[in-house]
Amino acid sequence: MSISLAELATRLGVPWRGAAEVALTHVAQLDQAESGSLSFLGDPAYRPYLATTRAAAVIVKPSDAAGAPVPLLLSENPYLTFAQAAQLLHPEPEVVGGIHPSAVVDPSAQVDPSAWIGPLSVLEAGASVGPRVFVGPSCILGAGVSIGADSRLVARVTLCAGTQIGERALIHPGAVIGRAGFGFAKDGERWVRIPQLGRAVLGDDVEVGANTTVDRGAMRDTVLGHGVKLDNLIQIGHNVVVGEHTAMAAKTGISGSTQIGRYCTLAGAVGVVGHLEIGDNVHFTGMTMVTRSFKEPGVYSSGIPAMPSADWRRNVARLKQLDTLTRRVKQLETLLANMNATPEREESEWMEP
Amino acid sequence: MSISLAELATRLGVPWRGAAEVALTHVAQLDQAESGSLSFLGDPAYRPYLATTRAAAVIVKPSDAAGAPVPLLLSENPYLTFAQAAQLLHPEPEVVGGIHPSAVVDPSAQVDPSAWIGPLSVLEAGASVGPRVFVGPSCILGAGVSIGADSRLVARVTLCAGTQIGERALIHPGAVIGRAGFGFAKDGERWVRIPQLGRAVLGDDVEVGANTTVDRGAMRDTVLGHGVKLDNLIQIGHNVVVGEHTAMAAKTGISGSTQIGRYCTLAGAVGVVGHLEIGDNVHFTGMTMVTRSFKEPGVYSSGIPAMPSADWRRNVARLKQLDTLTRRVKQLETLLANMNATPEREESEWMEP
Amino acid sequence: MSISLAELATRLGVPWRGAAEVALTHVAQLDQAESGSLSFLGDPAYRPYLATTRAAAVIVKPSDAAGAPVPLLLSENPYLTFAQAAQLLHPEPEVVGGIHPSAVVDPSAQVDPSAWIGPLSVLEAGASVGPRVFVGPSCILGAGVSIGADSRLVARVTLCAGTQIGERALIHPGAVIGRAGFGFAKDGERWVRIPQLGRAVLGDDVEVGANTTVDRGAMRDTVLGHGVKLDNLIQIGHNVVVGEHTAMAAKTGISGSTQIGRYCTLAGAVGVVGHLEIGDNVHFTGMTMVTRSFKEPGVYSSGIPAMPSADWRRNVARLKQLDTLTRRVKQLETLLANMNATPEREESEWMEP
C-alpha cells in the first residue's frame, strides 16, 4: 500500500501542505518515523520532535503548522485523522469467501458465499453468517447464532446458542458470548440452577476483547448497544444492558441485571454490583467499586492509591478505627463548646447528614 | 413441552388453585408473561404485577394467594419452586451417545456408549467418560482425565492431565482445569519451576464458569467439594480446597493453599491471599480483600464505595495522613485532660487494643 | 524414574549423608512421604515432622542435619534444591517430532523435524517452530509467528499474527498473545479503532498462565523480558514492557504503555494504570492500585483488609467525610492554641505538605 499525500488528504477530506506526490506507506510515531512514514502531532509535549522527525508527512493542528519542516495534513483532531489514515494505510485483508474443509458445518447453517469460515470452526444447526463475515480458526457458532455483515471473529471465539451479533463487530480470541448466566435458587444447603432462557444480543460496531465473557440473559436478553467496546477479561453478567458507545477497559465486571448508560467509560478493573442503574456519560476511574446507582453524568472514583507498605499498614489500622476516631473528635468539640469556646466555623461545613 | 397446571403441581409436590388443565409451556417474568407462561411472585415489591399479569399461572406464597386473578401454584419458597418448574419446562436436550468423526480420541480412552463426544474434541490416553456425559465441541481431555455420569462440558473446555470431575458437573466454555500451578523457587535472580504433581479434583454437582481457571495441586490435590458453583473468570490457585456448596461470583481469586469452608459465598472480584483458613458460612461482599483467616461465620467486607472523583481525591489524600490524624486527636485529648476537662465518655468505647 | 541418593547428590552438586544407594522415585511433603519419597525441610515450623517422616531422604540445611533419622541432602537453600531435584525426578516427557494428521499447517510454515504439532492445531502462513518445541492440541499460530527451541504450548494457546516467543517458554491453555490492543480515537460520540501494528515479543524462559492476555503493541512492540513469569488471567496492555525475571500473580492487570522494571513481583489482582514507569525490584502486595510511577525499589501496598460488614459500613461512611474530619481536627488545634494551650509536640511531625 502506497498513497500520495494529496490523494490521502482528499480521501480524508483535510487540507494539506507540501509535496503533493510524497509517498506514504505506513504510520509511525514521530520519533520512530522514516521514509514513507505518516506521523501525527497530538500532545503538544511532542512538538519538539516535529523539527527533527524523518516522517514523510505529519498530521498537525493548523495552529502547529507554522515552520514545520515536513509535508503536512491539517486537522483540528490530529489523533482522529491519524486513526482514519492508519485504517487506509493498514487495511484488514479482504475476506475471501469460502469454508475451510476442516470446518464442521451443520447442513442447516446458512453461510453467505462472500463469508469465510476458517479451519476447525464449528457451525451448529441454524447458525447464520452474513456477507463478508470473517470467522477465523477454531471458532464455535452454537445453534441459531446469527452474525451480521462485515463482522470479524479473529480466532477461537465461542458464541453460545442463540447469540446475535450485529454488523462490523470485532470479536477477539477466547471471548465467550452467550454463556448461561449464574443464577440459582437455594434449596436448603444446595444451589438449584435457574435455566437461562434469554440471549446475548450485540449491536453493530461492537468489539469484544480476548477472554471476555458475556452471559446470556435469564428471562430477557443481555444487550450490548451499537458501538460498545469491551477490552480483555471483562465479565458482563446476565440481563445487563450496556448503552451505545460505552467503552470498558480490561478486567471490569458488571454484575447481573445492571443497566449502564450510553457514552460511559469504565476504566480497568472496575466492579459494578447487580441491579443498578448507571446513567449516560458516567465515567468510572480504574478499580472503582460501584455499589449504588449513579444516574448523573460525572466522574466517579474509589480505592486507595499505592503507598509504601509500612505507611499503608499504619493507615489501614487507623481506618478500622475511623468511626471511633470521628466520635472522639465530636466529643472534643462538644467539650470545648461547653468550655464556652465555640469553634469559629460554619456548622454546615461539616455537619453530618 | 407443554404440561398442565395440575400435573406440574404434582411433579413439584405443591398445592395449586384454579384451572387444572391450563397448559404451561415456558417460564417468564410477571410483567412479560403471556399465554402459556408460568411466572412467580417472590419479592413483594412486584405484587402489583399480579393483578395485571397475563401469565397462565403464577407461583406465589400461600399468604399472597388471596384475590389473585390467575391460576396459582402455592409454595413457601416461590423462587425455588420456580427454578424447579423451569428445569421441567426447559430441560437440557437428552444426550445421544456417540463420537463425532472429527474428534481425536486416543485408543486407550474409555467412552461410555451413552456419552457424546463433540466435533473437534481431543481425548488423550486413558481419558474416561461416564454415562450420559456431554462433551461439546472443541473440548480437550488430557491424559487420565475422568468425568462422572451426566456431566456436561458445554464447549471448548480444557481438562489438563489427571483432572477428576464428578457427576452432574456443568463446565462452561474456556474453563481451564488442572493447569500446573504457579510455583517457583528463587535461584538468585531467576525463577525455577516446582513441578506440580497434584491434580484438580471436582466433586459432584460442581459448576465452573467460562474462562475460569482451576490449578492442579503441587504435591497434593486442589479440591472443589460437592455442589461448589464458580462463575466466570475466577482463579483457584494450587492446593486450594473449597468446601461443599460454596459459591463464588465472577472474577474472584483464591491464592494457593487457602482453604474455604462450606456454604460460603464470595461475591464478585473478591481476592483471598494464600495459606488462609476460611470457615463455614463465611460471606464476603464484592471486591473484598481478604488478608487473614476468618474462621467464624459472618459477613465480611472491605473496599471504598465510589464517590465523585473530586471528593475521592480529597479523602484519599487525607487517608494517607490518617495515622498522623489519629495521633493529633490523641494529643488534643491529652491536652484537654490536662486542662482538667476530662471527656465524659467510656474509655473502653474507643480505647485502642 | 528411580535414582539413588548418591547419584542425585552428584547431579545436584550437594553433599549427602546416609545410605548412598537409597532409591528415590518422587517428591512428597514431609508429612505425606513414603518409601521412595524425597522431601525437604524449608520452614523451621515443620522441623518436628523430620523426626517422624517416612521419606527415603530429606533435603535440609546443614544446620538442621544433626540427629535427623533419615538420609539427607544438604543445601543452604533446600527449597531451590528441592525444585531442581523435582525436575529431575519428574521430567517433562521428551518431545517426539511430528505433526498430527488433524493439524492444519500452511505449506509456508516451517516446523523443525524435532518439534511436535498436536491434533487440531493451526499454523498459518510463515509460522516458524523451532527444535523440540511442543505444540499441544488445538493451538493456533497466526501468520509469521515464531517459537524458539524447547518451548511448550500446553494446549489451546492462541498466538496472534507476528507474535515472537523465545526459547524454553511455557504457555498455558487459553492464553491469547498478540491480540490487537485496545486503542481508539474519538469521533464525536463514536470510537474509531487505531490499527495495532506492533507485535508481542517474549524473551526466553517466559511463562504465560492460563487465559492470560498479552496485547500486541500499537506502533511499537509489547515486550516481556527473559524469565518473566505470568500467572493466570493477567492482562498486559499494548506497548507494555516488562523487565527480566519479573513475576506477576493471577488477575493482575497492566494498562497500556506502562514499563515495569526487572526483578519485580506483583501479587494477585494488582492494577497498574497506563503510561507509568515502575523501577527494578519494586514489589506490590495483592490488590494494590498503582496510579503513579514508583521508580525506587521497595514494597508498596494499598486496599482495605476485610472486616465485619457492620464495622466496614460505619468506617466507610466516615471515610467519605475524612477531609472534613481532618479540617475539624485542625480547627480544634487552632482553638486550643488560641486558648494558650499549645500542643507539646513537634509541628513537623504532622504538618501537611
Side-chain angles (χ1 to χ4, degrees):
Chain A
M1 167 70 66
S2 177
I3 187 168
S4 73
L5 179 66
E7 186 186 339
L8 183 60
T10 302
R11 291 179 66 177
L12 295 171
V14 299
W16 54 278
R17 292 196 192 163
E21 74 287 354
V22 63
L24 303 170
T25 59
H26 64 277
V27 298
Q29 294 177 204
L30 268 181
D31 58 340
Q32 296 178 348
E34 49 191 27
S35 167
S37 296
L38 173 68
S39 290
F40 78 103
L41 174 63
D43 186 335
Y46 293 99
R47 205 178 187 296
Y49 290 110
L50 191 56
T52 58
T53 186
R54 304 199 297 183
V58 180
I59 306 168
V60 299
K61 287 192 186 179
S63 56
D64 281 325
V70 287
L72 300 177
L73 292 171
L74 303 180
S75 166
E76 288 299 340
N77 188 341
Y79 192 52
L80 172 60
T81 302
F82 179 75
Q84 294 162 335
Q87 289 187 356
L88 290 173
L89 287 166
H90 304 274
E92 291 286 349
E94 283 218 2
V95 176
V96 178
I99 299 177
H100 193 276
S102 66
V104 177
V105 179
D106 187 274
S108 68
Q110 296 190 3
V111 179
D112 189 279
S114 64
W116 168 248
I117 306 298
L120 304 170
S121 282
V122 176
L123 275 65
E124 299 190 339
S128 164
V129 177
R132 297 171 304 280
V133 166
F134 177 86
V135 175
S138 293
C139 293
I140 299 173
L141 280 60
V145 161
S146 166
I147 306 179
D150 299 301
S151 289
R152 292 183 74 85
L153 280 55
V154 173
R156 202 190 295 300
V157 168
T158 305
L159 304 179
C160 297
T163 296
Q164 307 291 300
I165 307 282
E167 303 192 349
R168 296 175 302 280
L170 176 59
I171 320 274
H172 292 280
V176 177
I177 304 180
R179 185 209 59 135
F182 200 66
F184 299 91
K186 205 83 193 266
D187 182 11
E189 295 175 336
R190 291 166 179 278
W191 301 100
V192 177
R193 202 170 218 299
I194 312 280
Q196 305 287 305
L197 307 168
R199 302 169 303 170
V201 177
L202 282 61
D204 297 332
D205 301 298
V206 169
E207 179 164 339
V208 178
N211 289 343
T212 280
T213 54
V214 180
D215 286 350
R216 71 173 59 172
M219 280 182 287
R220 45 199 170 94
D221 295 334
T222 301
V223 179
L224 304 184
H226 297 313
V228 166
K229 309 294 183 187
L230 303 184
D231 198 354
N232 299 341
L233 292 168
I234 286 172
Q235 155 72 358
I236 304 290
H238 56 182
N239 309 331
V240 166
V241 175
V242 180
E244 299 184 4
H245 307 296
T246 281
M248 302 187 194
K251 305 188 78 268
T252 280
I254 313 293
S255 300
S257 301
T258 280
Q259 293 185 48
I260 309 278
R262 295 176 299 163
Y263 318 122
C264 298
T265 57
L266 291 81
V270 168
V272 184
V273 308
H275 297 274
L276 299 188
E277 195 178 325
I278 307 298
D280 296 342
N281 292 295
V282 168
H283 306 278
F284 294 114
T285 60
M287 297 180 88
T288 293
M289 168 172 151
V290 183
T291 56
R292 66 168 178 88
S293 293
F294 286 89
K295 299 185 183 177
E296 295 306 309
V299 184
Y300 303 94
S301 300
S302 75
I304 303 178
M307 64 189 91
S309 295
D311 297 346
W312 169 75
R313 271 190 296 273
R314 264 195 302 274
N315 285 314
V316 298
R318 297 309 192 182
L319 196 141
K320 290 185 172 181
Q321 305 157 341
L322 185 53
D323 183 52
T324 302
L325 182 70
T326 305
R327 294 177 193 281
R328 286 162 61 184
V329 170
K330 191 176 289 181
Q331 226 154 4
L332 287 170
E333 289 168 340
T334 305
L335 196 63
L336 275 169
N338 291 346
M339 291 167 71
N340 272 328
T342 17
E344 297 143 8
R345 41 118 185 92
E346 289 294 305
E347 279 291 324
S348 60
E349 188 192 337
W350 52 266
M351 279 301 277
E352 293 159 60
Chain B
M1 167 69 66
S2 176
I3 186 168
S4 73
L5 179 66
E7 185 186 341
L8 183 61
T10 303
R11 292 178 64 176
L12 295 171
V14 298
W16 55 278
R17 292 195 192 164
E21 74 288 354
V22 64
L24 303 170
T25 60
H26 65 277
V27 298
Q29 295 177 204
L30 268 182
D31 58 340
Q32 296 179 348
E34 50 191 27
S35 166
S37 296
L38 173 67
S39 290
F40 78 104
L41 173 62
D43 187 337
Y46 294 99
R47 206 176 186 298
Y49 290 111
L50 192 55
T52 58
T53 186
R54 304 200 297 182
V58 181
I59 307 168
V60 300
K61 288 192 186 180
S63 56
D64 281 324
V70 287
L72 300 176
L73 293 171
L74 303 180
S75 167
E76 288 299 340
N77 188 343
Y79 192 51
L80 173 59
T81 301
F82 178 75
Q84 294 162 334
Q87 289 186 358
L88 289 172
L89 286 166
H90 304 274
E92 291 287 348
E94 282 218 3
V95 176
V96 179
I99 298 178
H100 193 276
S102 65
V104 178
V105 179
D106 188 274
S108 69
Q110 295 189 3
V111 179
D112 189 278
S114 64
W116 168 249
I117 306 298
L120 303 170
S121 281
V122 177
L123 275 65
E124 299 190 338
S128 164
V129 177
R132 297 171 305 280
V133 166
F134 177 86
V135 175
S138 292
C139 293
I140 299 173
L141 280 59
V145 161
S146 166
I147 305 179
D150 298 302
S151 289
R152 292 182 73 86
L153 279 56
V154 173
R156 200 190 297 298
V157 168
T158 305
L159 304 179
C160 297
T163 296
Q164 307 292 299
I165 307 282
E167 303 191 350
R168 296 175 303 281
L170 176 58
I171 320 274
H172 292 281
V176 177
I177 304 181
R179 184 207 63 134
F182 201 64
F184 300 91
K186 204 82 193 263
D187 182 10
E189 295 175 337
R190 292 165 179 278
W191 301 99
V192 177
R193 203 170 217 300
I194 312 280
Q196 303 287 305
L197 308 168
R199 302 170 302 170
V201 177
L202 282 62
D204 297 332
D205 300 299
V206 169
E207 180 164 338
V208 179
N211 288 344
T212 280
T213 55
V214 179
D215 287 350
R216 72 173 58 172
M219 280 183 287
R220 47 202 169 94
D221 294 334
T222 302
V223 179
L224 304 184
H226 296 313
V228 166
K229 308 294 183 188
L230 303 185
D231 198 353
N232 299 341
L233 291 168
I234 287 172
Q235 155 72 359
I236 304 290
H238 56 183
N239 309 330
V240 166
V241 176
V242 181
E244 299 183 5
H245 306 296
T246 281
M248 303 187 194
K251 303 189 79 265
T252 280
I254 313 293
S255 300
S257 301
T258 280
Q259 293 185 50
I260 310 277
R262 295 176 299 162
Y263 318 121
C264 298
T265 56
L266 291 82
V270 168
V272 184
V273 308
H275 297 274
L276 299 188
E277 196 178 325
I278 307 298
D280 296 343
N281 291 297
V282 168
H283 306 279
F284 293 113
T285 60
M287 296 180 88
T288 294
M289 167 171 150
V290 183
T291 56
R292 66 168 179 86
S293 293
F294 287 88
K295 298 185 182 177
E296 295 306 309
V299 185
Y300 303 93
S301 300
S302 75
I304 303 178
M307 63 190 91
S309 295
D311 297 347
W312 169 75
R313 270 192 296 272
R314 265 195 300 274
N315 285 314
V316 298
R318 297 309 192 182
L319 196 141
K320 290 186 173 182
Q321 304 156 342
L322 185 53
D323 184 53
T324 302
L325 182 70
T326 305
R327 293 177 193 281
R328 286 162 61 183
V329 170
K330 191 176 289 180
Q331 226 154 3
L332 288 169
E333 290 168 340
T334 306
L335 198 61
L336 275 169
N338 290 348
M339 292 167 70
N340 272 329
T342 16
E344 298 143 4
R345 43 121 185 90
E346 290 292 304
E347 277 292 325
S348 59
E349 187 192 337
W350 52 264
M351 278 301 278
E352 292 159 60
Chain C
M1 166 69 64
S2 176
I3 187 168
S4 73
L5 180 67
E7 187 187 340
L8 183 60
T10 302
R11 291 179 65 176
L12 295 171
V14 299
W16 56 278
R17 293 196 192 164
E21 74 287 354
V22 64
L24 303 170
T25 60
H26 65 277
V27 297
Q29 294 177 203
L30 268 181
D31 58 339
Q32 296 178 347
E34 49 191 27
S35 166
S37 296
L38 173 68
S39 291
F40 78 103
L41 174 62
D43 187 336
Y46 294 99
R47 205 177 187 297
Y49 290 111
L50 191 56
T52 58
T53 186
R54 304 199 299 183
V58 181
I59 306 168
V60 300
K61 286 192 185 178
S63 56
D64 281 324
V70 287
L72 299 176
L73 293 171
L74 304 180
S75 166
E76 288 299 339
N77 187 343
Y79 192 51
L80 172 60
T81 301
F82 178 75
Q84 293 162 335
Q87 289 186 356
L88 290 173
L89 287 166
H90 304 274
E92 292 286 350
E94 282 218 3
V95 176
V96 178
I99 298 177
H100 193 277
S102 66
V104 177
V105 179
D106 187 275
S108 67
Q110 296 189 4
V111 179
D112 189 279
S114 64
W116 168 249
I117 306 298
L120 304 170
S121 281
V122 176
L123 275 66
E124 299 190 336
S128 164
V129 176
R132 297 171 305 282
V133 167
F134 176 86
V135 175
S138 292
C139 292
I140 299 173
L141 280 59
V145 160
S146 166
I147 305 180
D150 300 301
S151 290
R152 292 183 74 85
L153 279 56
V154 173
R156 201 189 297 298
V157 168
T158 305
L159 304 179
C160 297
T163 296
Q164 307 292 301
I165 307 282
E167 303 191 351
R168 296 175 303 281
L170 177 58
I171 321 274
H172 292 281
V176 177
I177 304 180
R179 184 207 64 134
F182 201 64
F184 299 91
K186 205 81 192 269
D187 182 11
E189 295 175 339
R190 291 166 179 280
W191 301 100
V192 177
R193 201 170 219 301
I194 311 280
Q196 304 287 304
L197 307 168
R199 302 170 302 170
V201 177
L202 282 61
D204 297 333
D205 301 298
V206 169
E207 180 165 338
V208 179
N211 288 344
T212 281
T213 55
V214 180
D215 287 350
R216 73 172 58 173
M219 279 183 287
R220 47 200 169 93
D221 294 335
T222 301
V223 179
L224 304 184
H226 297 312
V228 166
K229 308 294 184 189
L230 303 184
D231 199 354
N232 299 342
L233 292 168
I234 287 172
Q235 155 72 359
I236 303 290
H238 56 183
N239 309 330
V240 165
V241 176
V242 180
E244 299 183 5
H245 306 297
T246 282
M248 303 187 195
K251 304 189 78 267
T252 280
I254 313 293
S255 300
S257 302
T258 280
Q259 293 186 49
I260 310 277
R262 296 176 300 163
Y263 318 121
C264 298
T265 56
L266 291 82
V270 168
V272 184
V273 307
H275 298 274
L276 299 188
E277 196 177 325
I278 307 298
D280 296 343
N281 292 296
V282 168
H283 307 279
F284 294 113
T285 60
M287 296 181 88
T288 294
M289 167 170 149
V290 183
T291 56
R292 66 167 178 87
S293 293
F294 287 88
K295 299 186 182 177
E296 295 306 308
V299 184
Y300 303 94
S301 300
S302 75
I304 303 178
M307 64 190 90
S309 295
D311 296 347
W312 170 75
R313 270 191 297 271
R314 265 195 301 273
N315 285 314
V316 299
R318 297 309 192 182
L319 196 141
K320 290 186 172 181
Q321 304 156 341
L322 185 53
D323 183 52
T324 302
L325 182 70
T326 305
R327 293 178 192 281
R328 286 161 63 183
V329 170
K330 190 176 289 181
Q331 227 153 2
L332 288 169
E333 289 168 341
T334 305
L335 198 62
L336 275 168
N338 290 346
M339 292 168 71
N340 272 327
T342 17
E344 297 144 4
R345 43 121 185 90
E346 289 293 306
E347 278 291 325
S348 60
E349 188 192 335
W350 53 266
M351 280 300 276
E352 293 158 60

